Amino acid sequence: MAKLVLGGDSSSATPAFHILQNKKKFGFTIDDFIGDMDSNGVFLGFQAKNAMFDGSGIKDFSTRSAYTLFRQNQTIRSVILPDLTKISGDYACYQMFHVTSVEGHIDLSKLETITGIYACSSMFNDTRIESIDLSSLTVLNTEYVCSNMCDAC
């Protein structure tokens, strides 16, 4: 959470207003991954249940940028990447959602190009997805670019 201090700082005797803001990035807060504790100091664990990875605005993944990013994370249920047009780096999305709880339909309908060795290899391997839309995909360039991308789904 971000903290805004007005009228002094949080350690001085000068009155200050503190505004706590629960900031999200790609649909998540820090508590979704690290967890939180209650007022008695008891660790509550991870808070995300049925979380969605919202990749709106992402147009490309570079080398190793999402390499095993959510691998074996059982809180992720859905994925949206509405602006993704290419995946260009080696191992860019390698095992990105491997052995996760991702399910349903994956819409990658704007994705046109995948390049880079192992760029999408095992990306959705061992998930519960039922379908994936790759209707605009026209370029697959290099070795093992999509090997086992949806294996064991």
Side-chain angles (χ1 to χ4, degrees), residues 36-76:
D36 205 358
M37 65 180 156
D38 67 14
S39 60
N40 296 317
V42 176
F43 183 66
L44 302 173
F46 307 113
Q47 301 302 306
K49 302 290 185 252
N50 300 318
M52 175 180 62
F53 173 70
D54 183 353
S56 297
I58 297 173
K59 296 178 183 178
D60 187 9
F61 284 101
S62 63
T63 298
R64 295 187 184 262
S65 60
Y67 179 88
T68 68
L69 183 63
F70 297 108
R71 185 172 185 247
Q72 297 183 346
N73 184 320
Q74 296 302 308
T75 63
I76 310 295

Coordinates of all heavy atoms in Angstrom, one line a residue, residues 36-76:
D36 N -0.8 -11.2 4.3 CA -1.0 -10.1 5.3 C -1.2 -10.7 6.7 O -1.2 -11.9 6.9 CB -2.3 -9.3 4.9 CG -2.2 -7.8 5.4 OD1 -1.2 -7.5 6.1 OD2 -3.2 -7.1 5.2
M37 N -1.3 -9.8 7.7 CA -1.5 -10.3 9.0 C -2.6 -9.5 9.7 O -2.9 -8.4 9.2 CB -0.2 -10.2 9.9 CG 0.3 -8.8 10.1 SD 1.8 -8.9 11.1 CE 2.5 -7.3 10.7
D38 N -3.3 -10.0 10.7 CA -4.3 -9.3 11.3 C -3.8 -8.4 12.4 O -2.6 -8.3 12.6 CB -5.4 -10.3 11.9 CG -4.9 -11.2 13.0 OD1 -3.8 -10.9 13.6 OD2 -5.6 -12.1 13.4
S39 N -4.7 -7.7 13.1 CA -4.3 -6.7 14.2 C -3.5 -7.4 15.3 O -2.9 -6.7 16.1 CB -5.5 -6.0 14.7 OG -6.4 -6.9 15.2
N40 N -3.6 -8.7 15.5 CA -2.9 -9.4 16.5 C -1.5 -9.9 16.1 O -0.9 -10.6 16.8 CB -3.7 -10.6 17.1 CG -5.0 -10.1 17.7 OD1 -5.0 -9.1 18.5 ND2 -6.1 -10.7 17.4
G41 N -1.2 -9.6 14.8 CA 0.1 -10.1 14.3 C 0.1 -11.5 13.8 O 1.1 -12.1 13.6
V42 N -1.1 -12.1 13.6 CA -1.2 -13.4 13.0 C -1.2 -13.4 11.5 O -2.0 -12.7 10.9 CB -2.5 -14.1 13.5 CG1 -2.7 -15.5 12.9 CG2 -2.6 -14.1 15.0
F43 N -0.2 -14.1 11.0 CA -0.1 -14.2 9.5 C -1.3 -14.9 8.9 O -1.6 -16.0 9.3 CB 1.2 -14.9 9.1 CG 1.5 -14.9 7.6 CD1 1.7 -13.7 6.9 CD2 1.5 -16.1 6.9 CE1 1.9 -13.8 5.6 CE2 1.7 -16.2 5.6 CZ 1.9 -15.0 4.9
L44 N -1.9 -14.2 7.9 CA -3.1 -14.8 7.3 C -2.9 -15.5 6.0 O -3.8 -16.1 5.5 CB -4.1 -13.6 7.1 CG -4.6 -12.8 8.3 CD1 -5.4 -11.7 7.9 CD2 -5.3 -13.7 9.3
G45 N -1.7 -15.4 5.5 CA -1.4 -16.1 4.2 C -1.8 -15.3 3.0 O -2.2 -14.1 3.1
F46 N -1.9 -15.9 1.9 CA -2.2 -15.3 0.7 C -3.7 -15.0 0.6 O -4.5 -15.8 1.0 CB -1.8 -16.1 -0.5 CG -0.4 -16.6 -0.4 CD1 0.0 -17.9 -0.2 CD2 0.7 -15.6 -0.5 CE1 1.3 -18.3 -0.2 CE2 2.0 -16.0 -0.5 CZ 2.3 -17.3 -0.3
Q47 N -4.0 -13.8 0.0 CA -5.4 -13.4 0.0 C -6.1 -13.6 -1.3 O -7.3 -13.7 -1.3 CB -5.5 -11.9 0.4 CG -4.9 -11.6 1.7 CD -5.6 -12.3 2.9 OE1 -6.8 -12.3 3.0 NE2 -4.8 -13.1 3.7
A48 N -5.4 -13.8 -2.4 CA -6.0 -13.9 -3.7 C -6.7 -15.3 -3.8 O -6.1 -16.3 -3.6 CB -5.0 -13.7 -4.8
K49 N -7.9 -15.2 -4.3 CA -8.6 -16.4 -4.6 C -9.3 -16.2 -6.0 O -9.9 -15.1 -6.2 CB -9.7 -16.7 -3.6 CG -9.2 -16.9 -2.2 CD -8.4 -18.2 -2.0 CE -8.0 -18.4 -0.5 NZ -6.6 -18.1 -0.3
N50 N -9.1 -17.1 -6.9 CA -9.7 -16.9 -8.2 C -9.2 -15.6 -8.9 O -10.0 -14.9 -9.5 CB -11.2 -17.0 -8.2 CG -11.7 -18.3 -7.6 OD1 -11.2 -19.3 -8.0 ND2 -12.7 -18.2 -6.8
A51 N -8.0 -15.3 -8.7 CA -7.4 -14.1 -9.3 C -7.3 -14.1 -10.8 O -7.2 -15.1 -11.4 CB -6.0 -13.8 -8.7
M52 N -7.3 -12.9 -11.4 CA -7.2 -12.7 -12.8 C -5.9 -11.9 -13.1 O -5.7 -10.9 -12.5 CB -8.4 -12.0 -13.4 CG -8.2 -11.7 -14.9 SD -9.6 -10.8 -15.6 CE -9.6 -9.3 -14.7
F53 N -5.1 -12.5 -14.0 CA -4.0 -11.7 -14.5 C -4.5 -10.8 -15.6 O -4.9 -11.2 -16.6 CB -2.8 -12.6 -15.0 CG -1.7 -11.8 -15.7 CD1 -0.9 -11.1 -14.9 CD2 -1.5 -11.9 -17.0 CE1 0.2 -10.3 -15.5 CE2 -0.5 -11.2 -17.7 CZ 0.3 -10.4 -16.9
D54 N -4.5 -9.5 -15.3 CA -4.9 -8.5 -16.3 C -3.7 -7.9 -17.0 O -3.1 -6.9 -16.5 CB -5.8 -7.4 -15.6 CG -6.4 -6.4 -16.6 OD1 -6.0 -6.4 -17.8 OD2 -7.2 -5.6 -16.2
G55 N -3.4 -8.4 -18.2 CA -2.2 -7.9 -18.9 C -2.6 -6.8 -19.9 O -1.9 -6.7 -20.9
S56 N -3.7 -6.0 -19.7 CA -4.1 -5.0 -20.6 C -2.9 -4.0 -20.7 O -2.3 -3.6 -19.8 CB -5.3 -4.2 -20.0 OG -6.4 -5.1 -20.0
G57 N -2.6 -3.6 -22.0 CA -1.6 -2.7 -22.3 C -0.3 -3.4 -22.7 O 0.6 -2.8 -23.3
I58 N -0.1 -4.6 -22.3 CA 1.1 -5.4 -22.7 C 1.0 -5.7 -24.2 O 0.1 -6.4 -24.6 CB 1.3 -6.6 -21.9 CG1 1.5 -6.3 -20.4 CG2 2.5 -7.4 -22.4 CD1 1.6 -7.5 -19.5
K59 N 2.0 -5.3 -25.0 CA 2.0 -5.5 -26.4 C 3.0 -6.6 -26.8 O 2.9 -7.2 -27.9 CB 2.2 -4.2 -27.2 CG 1.1 -3.2 -27.0 CD 1.4 -1.9 -27.7 CE 0.3 -1.0 -27.4 NZ 0.5 0.3 -28.0
D60 N 4.0 -6.8 -26.0 CA 5.1 -7.7 -26.3 C 5.8 -8.2 -25.0 O 5.7 -7.5 -24.0 CB 6.2 -6.9 -27.1 CG 7.3 -7.8 -27.7 OD1 7.2 -9.1 -27.6 OD2 8.3 -7.3 -28.2
F61 N 6.3 -9.4 -25.0 CA 7.1 -9.9 -23.9 C 8.5 -10.0 -24.4 O 8.8 -10.7 -25.4 CB 6.6 -11.2 -23.4 CG 5.3 -11.2 -22.6 CD1 4.1 -11.4 -23.2 CD2 5.4 -10.8 -21.3 CE1 2.9 -11.4 -22.4 CE2 4.2 -10.8 -20.5 CZ 3.0 -11.1 -21.1
S62 N 9.5 -9.5 -23.7 CA 10.9 -9.6 -24.1 C 11.6 -10.8 -23.5 O 11.0 -11.5 -22.7 CB 11.6 -8.3 -23.8 OG 11.6 -8.1 -22.3
T63 N 12.8 -10.9 -23.8 CA 13.6 -12.1 -23.3 C 13.5 -12.3 -21.8 O 13.7 -11.4 -21.0 CB 15.1 -11.9 -23.7 OG1 15.2 -11.9 -25.1 CG2 15.9 -13.1 -23.1
R64 N 13.0 -13.5 -21.4 CA 12.8 -13.9 -20.0 C 11.9 -13.0 -19.2 O 12.0 -13.0 -17.9 CB 14.2 -14.1 -19.3 CG 14.9 -15.3 -19.9 CD 16.2 -15.6 -19.1 NE 17.0 -16.6 -19.8 CZ 17.0 -17.9 -19.5 NH1 16.2 -18.3 -18.5 NH2 17.7 -18.7 -20.1
S65 N 11.2 -12.1 -19.8 CA 10.4 -11.1 -19.0 C 9.3 -11.8 -18.2 O 8.9 -11.3 -17.1 CB 9.8 -10.1 -19.9 OG 8.9 -10.6 -20.9
A66 N 8.7 -12.9 -18.6 CA 7.7 -13.6 -17.9 C 8.1 -15.0 -17.6 O 7.2 -15.9 -17.3 CB 6.3 -13.5 -18.6
Y67 N 9.3 -15.3 -17.7 CA 9.9 -16.7 -17.5 C 9.5 -17.2 -16.1 O 9.7 -16.6 -15.1 CB 11.4 -16.5 -17.6 CG 12.2 -17.8 -17.4 CD1 12.5 -18.6 -18.4 CD2 12.7 -18.2 -16.1 CE1 13.3 -19.8 -18.3 CE2 13.4 -19.3 -15.9 CZ 13.7 -20.1 -17.0 OH 14.5 -21.2 -16.8
T68 N 8.7 -18.3 -16.1 CA 8.1 -18.9 -14.9 C 7.4 -18.0 -14.0 O 7.4 -18.2 -12.8 CB 9.2 -19.7 -14.2 OG1 10.2 -18.9 -13.6 CG2 9.9 -20.8 -15.1
L69 N 6.9 -16.9 -14.5 CA 6.3 -15.8 -13.6 C 5.3 -16.3 -12.6 O 5.3 -16.0 -11.4 CB 5.7 -14.7 -14.5 CG 5.1 -13.5 -13.8 CD1 6.2 -12.8 -13.0 CD2 4.5 -12.6 -14.8
F70 N 4.3 -17.1 -13.1 CA 3.3 -17.6 -12.2 C 3.3 -19.1 -12.0 O 2.4 -19.7 -11.6 CB 1.9 -17.2 -12.7 CG 1.7 -15.7 -12.7 CD1 1.7 -15.1 -14.0 CD2 1.6 -15.0 -11.6 CE1 1.5 -13.7 -14.0 CE2 1.4 -13.6 -11.6 CZ 1.3 -13.0 -12.9
R71 N 4.4 -19.7 -12.3 CA 4.6 -21.2 -12.3 C 4.2 -21.7 -10.9 O 4.6 -21.2 -9.9 CB 6.0 -21.5 -12.6 CG 6.3 -23.0 -12.7 CD 7.7 -23.3 -13.2 NE 7.9 -24.7 -13.4 CZ 8.7 -25.5 -12.6 NH1 9.4 -24.9 -11.6 NH2 8.7 -26.7 -12.9
Q72 N 3.3 -22.7 -11.0 CA 2.7 -23.4 -9.8 C 2.0 -22.4 -8.8 O 1.8 -22.8 -7.7 CB 3.8 -24.1 -9.1 CG 4.4 -25.2 -9.9 CD 5.5 -26.1 -9.2 OE1 5.9 -25.7 -8.1 NE2 5.8 -27.2 -9.8
N73 N 1.5 -21.3 -9.3 CA 0.7 -20.4 -8.5 C -0.7 -20.8 -8.6 O -1.3 -20.7 -9.7 CB 0.9 -19.0 -9.0 CG 0.2 -18.0 -8.1 OD1 -0.9 -18.2 -7.7 ND2 0.8 -16.8 -7.9
Q74 N -1.3 -21.3 -7.6 CA -2.7 -21.8 -7.6 C -3.8 -20.8 -7.4 O -5.0 -21.1 -7.3 CB -2.9 -23.0 -6.6 CG -2.0 -24.2 -7.0 CD -2.2 -24.7 -8.3 OE1 -3.4 -25.0 -8.7 NE2 -1.2 -24.9 -9.1
T75 N -3.4 -19.5 -7.3 CA -4.4 -18.5 -7.2 C -4.9 -17.9 -8.5 O -6.0 -17.3 -8.6 CB -3.9 -17.3 -6.3 OG1 -2.8 -16.7 -7.0 CG2 -3.5 -17.7 -4.9
I76 N -4.1 -18.0 -9.5 CA -4.5 -17.5 -10.8 C -5.5 -18.4 -11.5 O -5.3 -19.6 -11.7 CB -3.3 -17.4 -11.8 CG1 -2.1 -16.7 -11.1 CG2 -3.6 -16.7 -13.1 CD1 -2.3 -15.2 -10.7

